[in-house]
Amino acid sequence: MQFSFKKLLKTVIPLLIGIALIYYQFSSFTETELKRIKDYFREANYFYVFLSIFISLFGYWSRAYRWKYSLNHLGYQPKFYNSFFAVSISYLLNLTIPRSGEISRAVILKNYEGVPFDKGFGTIVAERVVDLLIFLLFVITAFLIQFEKINTFIFSHISPHKIALLFGIALAGMILFLFLWRWSKWSFILKIKSKFNGLVEGMTSILKMKTKWKYLAHSFFIWFSYLMMFYVCVFSIPETASISFDIVIMGFIFGTLAVGFTNGGIGAFPISIAKVLLLYGIAEDAGTALGWIIWTSQTILTIVLGLISYLLLNLFNKN
């Protein structure tokens, strides 16, 4: 009962936050702004939206194909279509309970390919480490390119005294964390250390692969496809079609962070895109419309592809 209640909370709380963000965002618009958002949707160039969806499919393919390298390294030869179906279904399940898709991937491979759950899940953990490092490269690159803009924004909204206070709190928190990490025997800290060691082990296993460069090439291609999926969509609305690529990267970063904040980024993704673009002079209603166009199209793709994969998984493995 307790486990089921925890799962319910993991699903409901992010969903409620997303709904609250939607209400907050649209309640702040005037009738004129709401009408403009509807017009953006109606008049958008959907060629670029469908192109974005098409590019996303390459990301699905590459993620499924990358998986085979780590599984081959462990001595398993899963069929590609089962890996692809598992990845697609995992995206769908992540719209319900965040991160439940990772577990489903390992379960599907165990049931249909005989890969032990712990080994399959270990390869997925390793993927997450690589994905996180690549995303951090995006973050560092974007902040270096936009340093002047970010610096101006921070100091125009936060006083130097508050910045010093925040820095002091962060430093004290880091020292406390390092102290607990080194000497604490709390079960919570020990559990985090165990998971961290698992991440390190997963990462080192990648370095031992004979095909590690192909694995890393696919990893970068996956994130490139994510970025291009986002980028081509900006051309669907005239107000955002002329923004520079460095601004696109900033929007992509904050949009990616928002996806992990609520179920599939519902509510959080559009509002983050709107707020980022507002810093660069793009009207909030235009940024909101762009955010919702990207989120809606990708969510529809996730649902349709996930359901089709679920049906085909059983059909392709009847025997």
Side-chain angles (χ1 to χ4, degrees):
M1 178 66 71
Q2 184 180 1
F3 179 72
S4 298
F5 183 67
K6 285 173 66 176
K7 286 205 302 185
L8 181 64
L9 288 179
K10 287 181 180 180
T11 304
V12 173
I13 291 177
L15 182 61
L16 291 177
I17 292 174
I19 293 172
L21 288 172
I22 294 172
Y23 175 78
Y24 163 76
Q25 184 178 34
F26 282 94
S27 63
S28 65
F29 288 123
T30 64
E31 288 294 328
T32 303
E33 289 172 327
L34 288 172
K35 183 180 180 302
R36 280 205 297 265
I37 292 174
K38 293 177 183 178
D39 291 339
Y40 287 131
F41 265 89
R42 187 174 61 253
E43 299 169 5
N45 188 337
Y46 282 94
F47 166 78
Y48 293 105
V49 177
F50 286 110
L51 178 60
S52 171
I53 292 173
F54 179 71
I55 292 172
S56 296
L57 293 174
F58 285 96
Y60 280 82
W61 168 82
S62 188
R63 184 171 290 278
Y65 199 83
R66 177 183 68 170
W67 200 10
K68 83 164 189 171
Y69 293 120
S70 52
L71 291 169
N72 291 167
H73 177 70
L74 296 176
Y76 299 98
Q77 304 286 336
K79 302 177 186 66
F80 173 74
Y81 58 76
N82 280 333
S83 297
F84 184 85
F85 295 154
V87 167
S88 301
I89 293 169
S90 73
Y91 277 104
L92 174 61
L93 291 179
N94 278 336
L95 293 178
T96 57
I97 302 175
R99 299 309 172 197
S100 63
E102 282 70 12
I103 297 174
S104 76
R105 280 177 63 184
V107 170
I108 289 171
L109 226 61
K110 177 180 181 297
N111 292 338
Y112 292 95
E113 294 288 350
V115 179
F117 176 84
D118 56 342
K119 292 186 178 182
F121 189 71
T123 61
I124 297 167
V125 171
E127 286 181 11
R128 288 301 177 188
V129 176
V130 174
D131 289 340
L132 176 61
L133 292 175
I134 294 175
F135 179 66
L136 288 177
L137 285 177
F138 273 103
V139 173
I140 293 170
T141 301
F143 275 71
L144 287 175
I145 294 173
Q146 293 292 317
F147 177 78
E148 184 176 347
K149 184 75 175 181
I150 295 170
N151 186 56
T152 302
F153 174 78
I154 291 174
F155 281 97
S156 64
H157 289 78
I158 307 175
S159 66
H161 297 293
K162 288 184 178 180
I163 292 176
L165 177 62
L166 291 172
F167 178 79
I169 293 173
L171 182 61
M174 184 181 298
I175 293 171
L176 177 61
F177 174 78
L178 292 174
F179 177 83
L180 292 173
W181 185 268
R182 177 65 181 82
W183 286 287
S184 176
K185 300 298 182 183
W186 292 349
S187 59
F188 174 71
I189 298 296
L190 293 176
K191 186 181 292 187
I192 293 177
K193 289 174 73 171
S194 175
K195 290 186 177 182
F196 179 78
N197 291 334
L199 294 178
V200 173
E201 184 180 353
M203 188 63 191
T204 54
S205 69
I206 294 172
L207 298 176
K208 296 175 184 176
M209 286 183 196
K210 293 181 180 179
T211 54
K212 58 178 174 290
W213 297 116
K214 292 180 180 179
Y215 184 98
L216 292 174
H218 271 280
S219 299
F220 278 99
F221 178 78
I222 289 166
W223 282 91
F224 175 74
S225 69
Y226 291 165
L227 177 61
M228 294 309 296
M229 168 275 294
F230 186 96
Y231 178 52
V232 298
C233 258
V234 305
F235 296 104
S236 63
I237 297 178
E239 283 72 12
T240 60
S242 60
I243 61 176
S244 60
F245 193 66
D246 53 342
I247 298 175
V248 170
I249 295 177
M250 290 297 292
F252 171 73
I253 288 171
F254 283 94
T256 302
L257 290 171
V259 169
F261 188 66
T262 59
N263 302 52
I266 181 172
F269 184 90
I271 198 171
S272 66
I273 301 304
K275 295 301 181 184
V276 170
L277 295 184
L278 187 62
L279 293 176
Y280 297 93
I282 304 298
E284 191 167 2
D285 50 8
T288 298
L290 176 65
W292 277 106
I293 286 172
I294 296 173
W295 183 85
T296 303
S297 60
Q298 291 301 313
T299 301
I300 291 173
L301 172 65
T302 299
I303 294 171
V304 172
L305 198 58
L307 292 175
I308 291 174
S309 295
Y310 179 76
L311 295 174
L312 294 181
L313 182 67
N314 295 305
L315 183 63
F316 276 54
N317 292 277
K318 282 195 304 183
N319 300 322

